[in-house]
Amino acid sequence: MQGASSGVGYGLKYQARCISDVKADTDHTSFITGTLSLREENEVHLIRLSSGGTELICEGLFSHPNEIWDLSSCPFDQRIFSTVFSTGESYGAAVWQIPELYGQLNSPQLEKIASLDAHSGKINCILWWPSGRNDKLISIDEENLFLWSLDCSKKAAQVQSKESAGMLHYLSGGAWDPHDVNAVAATCESSVQFWDLRTMNKTNSIDCTHVRNVDYDTKKKHILVTAEDESGIHVWDLRMPKVPIKELPGHAHWTWAISCNPEYDGLILSGGTDSTVNLWLASTSTGDGMTSESLVESPTQLVDPLLNSYSDYEDSVYGLAWSSREPWIFASLSYDGRVRHFKHLS
């Protein structure tokens, strides 16, 4: 189904790169996103899907002082989120809280809970504890990985431990293993490094080429998916890390973003600089008794793993977010500030 175009749109005022599912909002399908303007006052938008699913509604609009390069919603409190931001000269990171009565205020201000100010270099991302209530956060800059303890009531965050990846590695992002909360994957230019948070030691790595993004399969242990510039999408079984168990072609230009569905095994979203979002169904069977939805129609014919290609964009797609409340729904964000919501009907 190449070139499919549908869904509901929402426009931001400025350019943007990041969008997050508001996982803690169990009553609505909600997303939060932020803008990336160098010269204007940036904004954070809290967006909800209408009850009929026909429009995206702005539930809250908040000013944010700097360019937002990374944004993640807290998994246990729908009013808390983190941002990584740039002043144009330096980078910072903070945890914010939306005011409780924001719907009744004319110009509500975000409340800063804590600054994650131990970094000296370029900060790339903030990772929240994968699920449930916990005070742990991870922040990653180009050379270091920090484990934080966050105390929202005292509006403070303390570094619990820190480790350097070394001068030869430039960390760019990462993902927290939902099956093992002591394990984190950190992306570098040409590899993915795996860290044990108990010892802050690197335990393993896999070789990749120009990896841009990484995500764990939330339904199946040991399965990791990487997005790589020209080489597309690789699915890995971390028990056999030498070669990927599946390769998908990715995008016509760089494959930039990847996201595994929170509920349906093998369902993967990817976004790229070809102004396209692709929806894949990739088998992760590894021959050891683990099975996924079969991609085989007959013993001799394989189904195309590309389920759909959404091309109704005018700029690169950097932001992807599945809804954890309605896992057949996802939102995408292109650099020109356009949010698109889609429902995948299997």
Side-chain angles (χ1 to χ4, degrees):
M1 292 184 289
Q2 293 288 333
S5 175
S6 61
V8 178
Y10 178 91
L12 306 181
K13 195 174 180 180
Y14 308 118
Q15 295 172 325
R17 296 179 70 101
C18 43
I19 188 167
S20 177
D21 169 47
V22 184
K23 186 176 182 179
D25 186 355
T26 56
D27 296 324
H28 310 89
T29 298
S30 303
F31 302 96
I32 190 167
T33 182
T35 62
L36 186 72
S37 174
L38 179 60
R39 294 178 176 85
E40 307 294 338
E41 182 80 3
N42 284 282
E43 299 172 340
V44 171
H45 294 243
L46 179 60
I47 309 166
R48 282 182 183 158
L49 184 64
S50 64
S51 57
T54 57
E55 59 180 328
L56 289 168
I57 301 167
C58 181
E59 287 290 320
L61 180 61
F62 313 97
S63 63
H64 187 283
N66 304 113
E67 304 171 317
I68 300 173
W69 286 88
D70 175 79
L71 183 150
S72 296
S73 182
C74 172
F76 57 82
D77 190 323
Q78 62 183 353
R79 291 169 46 220
I80 295 176
F81 65 96
S82 62
T83 61
V84 171
F85 49 86
S86 170
T87 65
E89 298 177 354
S90 62
Y91 281 79
V95 178
W96 309 86
Q97 181 169 280
I98 294 171
E100 188 170 5
L101 301 176
Y102 66 89
Q104 304 172 30
L105 302 175
N106 291 327
S107 55
Q109 295 294 311
L110 293 171
E111 180 182 355
K112 185 183 289 188
I113 293 179
S115 292
L116 308 182
D117 52 7
H119 294 267
S120 57
K122 178 184 176 183
I123 311 171
N124 289 304
C125 68
I126 305 297
L127 307 178
W128 290 85
W129 187 267
S131 63
R133 181 176 291 273
N134 196 282
D135 64 351
K136 300 298 186 294
L137 281 173
I138 291 172
S139 59
I140 299 175
D141 64 30
E142 289 185 320
E143 297 178 7
N144 304 288
L145 186 148
F146 289 80
L147 180 65
W148 299 80
S149 177
L150 176 69
D151 190 330
C152 294
S153 61
K154 295 182 179 179
K155 296 183 180 180
Q158 301 291 331
V159 175
Q160 284 203 320
S161 52
K162 167 193 173 183
E163 188 53 62
S164 172
M167 293 293 291
L168 297 178
H169 299 281
Y170 290 95
L171 301 180
S172 57
W176 206 324
D177 190 340
H179 308 287
D180 180 358
V181 293
N182 294 308
V184 169
T187 56
C188 301
E189 174 70 10
S190 58
S191 68
V192 178
Q193 299 181 358
F194 299 94
W195 294 81
D196 187 327
L197 296 178
R198 293 165 296 189
T199 61
M200 295 304 280
N201 289 330
K202 188 172 72 170
T203 58
N204 203 356
S205 66
I206 56 176
D207 293 329
C208 306
T209 55
H210 304 289
V211 60
R212 291 289 179 181
N213 200 207
V214 64
D215 197 18
Y216 283 94
D217 187 322
T218 58
K219 304 303 292 182
K220 188 170 291 183
K221 291 182 179 180
H222 313 296
I223 301 299
L224 185 84
V225 183
T226 56
E228 303 172 39
D229 279 0
E230 293 92 347
S231 52
I233 299 159
H234 288 169
V235 182
W236 305 83
D237 185 326
L238 299 181
R239 296 164 298 181
M240 303 178 291
K242 296 296 184 183
V243 294
I245 59 173
K246 182 168 285 291
E247 299 183 29
L248 304 174
H251 289 256
H253 199 245
W254 289 354
T255 305
W256 196 277
I258 201 84
S259 183
C260 296
N261 189 279
E263 189 63 33
Y264 302 121
D265 176 35
L267 206 56
I268 300 168
L269 275 177
S270 65
T273 52
D274 59 352
S275 307
T276 300
V277 170
N278 287 336
L279 177 65
W280 310 87
L281 182 59
S283 169
T284 54
S285 299
T286 55
D288 62 351
M290 294 196 310
T291 59
S292 167
E293 289 186 58
S294 175
L295 296 180
V296 180
E297 280 186 340
S298 69
T300 59
Q301 183 180 11
L302 290 177
V303 175
D304 185 350
L306 181 63
L307 295 180
N308 218 332
S309 187
Y310 305 88
S311 55
D312 189 21
Y313 303 89
E314 296 180 3
D315 213 331
S316 300
V317 178
Y318 295 122
L320 297 171
W322 286 104
S323 168
S324 55
R325 180 175 177 268
E326 298 182 271
W328 55 90
I329 286 174
F330 68 87
S332 57
L333 175 66
S334 53
Y335 188 60
D336 56 3
R338 292 185 66 197
V339 178
R340 300 286 291 171
H341 145 265
F342 294 93
K343 178 181 290 186
H344 168 59
L345 299 176
S346 56

